[in-house]
Amino acid sequence: MAPSFHSLLPFILLITIQPSIFCTGLGISDSICPSFSSMNQFIINNNNLNCMSSPPNSLIAVSPNDIDQLQFALNLEFSEAEFFLFGALGVGLDTIDPKLALGGPPPVGVLKANLDDVTRQIVEEFGYEEVGHLRAIISTVGGFTRPLIDLSAKNFANLMDIAFGYPLNPPFNPYLNTVNYLLASYVIPYLGINGYSGANVNIEGFATRKLIAGLLSVESAQDAVIRTLLYERKDQIVFPYKYTVSEFTIQISNLRNQLGMCQNKDEGLVVPRQLGAEMRTCSNIISADVSSTSYVRTPAEILRILYMTGDERVPGGFLPNGGNGKVAKNYLFF
């Protein structure tokens, strides 16, 4: 019998995702990587003007109005970098690139996850990508110290308990296995897509517009990979609970909508046909609005979800002392 699409999906992902997942710096042999010279044969160094972007309409690289909005995203990028790096490698930003933390406290409770090899390689790449995002933002608009981030199993367990409306037994542990870790990965990165989509309309400088477009595209790709890996397992029971992977995603999405307090901007992996793409599908691998474009969230909405309090003025959850930067601090001292 021919192999199913679902059984082949991990191998399809390995082929389609950048080759760098085979060449990671901690634990994977460089002998598995293609040589740079074999890739470089396709690179032609010239000054062909057709390869260059059109001149920007704006003469301002970074508008003063852009700085606070892009710096706000560091709260999410720090969280994602630590979660992915530790999940795959057991070490975080303080080992990989400590200067980017700008003296902020180390994350609380984050651990190396018990992942299958394919997922570990994907997550490791995501972690390095988040390091790049941090560097790109800080080098363009400046930064702030890493906030205190709580990525403990207890914190994720609390979120799942709130999502389901009662304490799960045993408490949910995101680091226990691949499925649990992917479900935990479903929680935070999607907010980055919402945030960048929301900020995009207010960005004025040509350098910051280019940056936010690049950040948004990679964050969207990461979320699509996470959701695809989960969709492959959508009917699998999350042991030892009685709920499927799909039901977990629906409860998490419902909670984010509840905490965000601004209507439906989040959907699980399976939806009623009325909410599917062109009302023709029940699959929801890419969460999007009626026009299949990204939902947007304001900084206040994102903080309500990250704090798990439903109030941007009351810290808790993943940022127990609140977010850093002018945008987040303004809510705390309102």
Side-chain angles (χ1 to χ4, degrees):
M1 184 174 66
S4 69
F5 169 77
H6 287 171
S7 67
L8 290 173
L9 182 59
F11 303 99
I12 295 172
L13 286 169
L14 281 177
I15 293 170
T16 56
I17 292 174
Q18 299 177 18
S20 60
I21 60 175
F22 298 105
C23 322
T24 47
L26 298 177
I28 301 296
S29 172
D30 284 345
S31 65
I32 303 176
C33 301
S35 67
F36 182 75
S37 59
S38 69
M39 306 293 290
N40 200 38
Q41 62 183 305
F42 301 106
I43 300 174
I44 301 174
N45 294 318
N46 60 35
N47 294 318
N48 189 337
L49 293 178
N50 292 328
C51 301
M52 300 179 184
S53 301
S54 301
N57 293 325
S58 171
L59 297 179
I60 302 173
V62 179
S63 168
N65 179 61
D66 301 343
I67 295 174
D68 293 338
Q69 296 182 77
L70 273 169
Q71 284 186 350
F72 174 76
L74 291 171
N75 290 295
L76 283 166
E77 299 287 1
F78 277 125
S79 301
E80 294 176 56
E82 299 292 6
F83 185 63
F84 289 142
L85 289 173
F86 267 97
L89 303 172
V91 297
L93 202 58
D94 290 333
T95 297
I96 302 301
D97 198 338
K99 64 181 181 297
L100 290 176
L102 297 176
V108 174
V110 62
L111 301 171
K112 183 176 183 180
N114 181 25
L115 303 175
D116 66 71
D117 193 53
V118 171
T119 305
R120 190 200 61 75
Q121 292 173 43
I122 293 170
V123 170
E124 182 179 359
E125 180 179 331
F126 286 2
Y128 292 137
E129 288 166 354
E130 297 304 330
V131 173
H133 291 180
L134 288 167
R135 187 181 300 110
I137 294 172
I138 292 170
S139 65
T140 303
V141 297
F144 49 67
T145 58
R146 176 180 53 195
L148 180 64
I149 305 167
D150 186 348
L151 296 169
S152 64
K154 181 179 179 181
N155 198 39
F156 278 100
N158 183 43
L159 179 140
M160 296 301 183
D161 291 349
I162 297 171
F164 281 95
Y166 71 94
L168 297 182
N169 185 27
F172 181 84
N173 181 354
Y175 305 109
L176 182 64
N177 54 48
T178 294
V179 170
N180 284 23
Y181 187 83
L182 288 171
L183 285 168
S185 299
Y186 182 91
V187 173
I188 297 178
Y190 176 67
L191 297 177
I193 302 172
N194 302 150
Y196 287 133
S197 297
N200 184 51
V201 295
N202 298 317
I203 298 299
E204 300 171 356
F206 66 82
T208 39
R209 282 204 301 266
K210 178 182 178 182
L211 174 59
I212 202 170
L215 293 167
L216 177 57
S217 64
V218 174
E219 292 286 334
S220 298
Q222 291 177 350
D223 190 63
V225 170
I226 292 167
R227 293 177 72 105
T228 301
L229 290 170
L230 286 169
Y231 190 81
E232 179 193 19
R233 301 164 168 85
K234 66 181 175 65
D235 297 321
Q236 178 179 327
I237 296 293
V238 182
F239 185 81
Y241 315 110
K242 61 182 179 181
Y243 303 105
T244 64
V245 165
S246 176
E247 289 170 327
F248 262 83
T249 66
I250 290 169
Q251 294 302 321
I252 295 168
S253 290
N254 287 345
L255 177 61
R256 286 191 296 214
N257 283 327
Q258 177 186 338
L259 293 172
M261 299 173 61
C262 288
Q263 302 177 329
N264 179 63
K265 297 185 178 181
D266 207 322
E267 299 154 350
L269 294 175
V270 178
V271 293
R273 195 171 296 274
Q274 297 92 320
L275 295 177
E278 294 300 296
M279 296 188 289
R280 293 174 182 267
T281 174
C282 297
S283 65
N284 196 46
I285 299 171
I286 308 295
S287 182
D289 65 15
V290 67
S291 299
S292 290
T293 62
S294 176
Y295 290 110
V296 302
R297 289 193 187 275
T298 64
E301 291 175 70
I302 291 171
L303 290 173
R304 292 170 199 157
I305 298 168
L306 284 176
Y307 293 169
M308 291 165 50
T309 63
D311 189 335
E312 63 273 26
R313 298 163 297 181
V314 180
F318 295 103
L319 298 173
N321 292 341
N324 280 349
K326 185 176 179 180
V327 173
K329 294 295 187 184
N330 279 348
Y331 290 116
L332 293 180
F333 299 118
F334 178 76

